[in-house]
């Protein structure tokens, strides 16, 4: 989880989904207390593309690990600063 504070990341389900679709995700972080149905597509995509998934206990814990002031259902470390879909640290 310390890599979330140091590496290039995105925070939020929409941004994470966009990065997964563009094959830009190195590691996917998922909060265990997030809506499972909402996250199903993201975890399926990550598994299909052999992307590591790290489960975090709560959305609050994941948000804090990402240095954002809101809870986060998902976050992702991105490959080589390749994300071009807007803010890297969007607060979703």
């Amino acid at each position: 989880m310390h890599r979330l504070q140091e590496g290039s990341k995105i925070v939020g389900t929409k941004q994470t989904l966009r990065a997964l679709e563009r094959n830009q995700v190195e590691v996917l972080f998922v909060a265990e207390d997030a809506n499972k149905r909402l996250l199903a597509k993201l975890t399926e995509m990550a598994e299909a593309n052999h992307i590591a998934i790290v489960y975090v206990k709560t959305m609050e814990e994941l948000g804090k690990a990402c240095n954002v002031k809101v809870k986060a259902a998902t976050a992702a470390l991105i490959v080589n600063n390749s994300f071009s879909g807007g803010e890297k640290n969007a607060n979703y």
Side-chain angles (χ1 to χ4, degrees):
M1 289 248 302
H2 71 280
R3 291 181 64 195
L4 280 172
Q5 295 176 353
E6 299 168 357
S8 296
K9 66 181 171 289
I10 52 173
V11 181
T13 304
K14 289 180 188 178
Q15 297 290 359
T16 302
L17 178 59
R18 190 174 299 139
L20 280 166
E21 289 171 343
R22 294 178 180 168
N23 296 316
Q24 297 172 323
V25 174
E26 181 180 345
V27 180
L28 174 64
F29 293 84
V30 176
E32 291 178 359
D33 64 342
N35 182 317
K36 303 297 184 229
R37 197 177 78 176
L38 176 71
L39 302 178
K41 183 174 183 178
L42 281 82
T43 55
E44 288 172 10
M45 288 178 72
E47 289 171 356
N49 290 300
H50 307 288
I51 295 169
I53 302 173
V54 176
Y55 290 92
V56 181
K57 281 276 190 211
T58 67
M59 291 172 49
E60 184 175 354
E61 184 179 338
L62 184 54
K64 285 181 183 178
C66 294
N67 292 321
V68 295
K69 295 179 182 179
V70 295
K71 296 178 182 179
T74 64
L77 290 176
I78 56 174
V79 179
N80 298 328
N81 297 324
S82 61
F83 188 71
S84 61
E87 275 297 310
K88 289 183 185 171
N89 294 315
N91 294 330
Y92 292 100

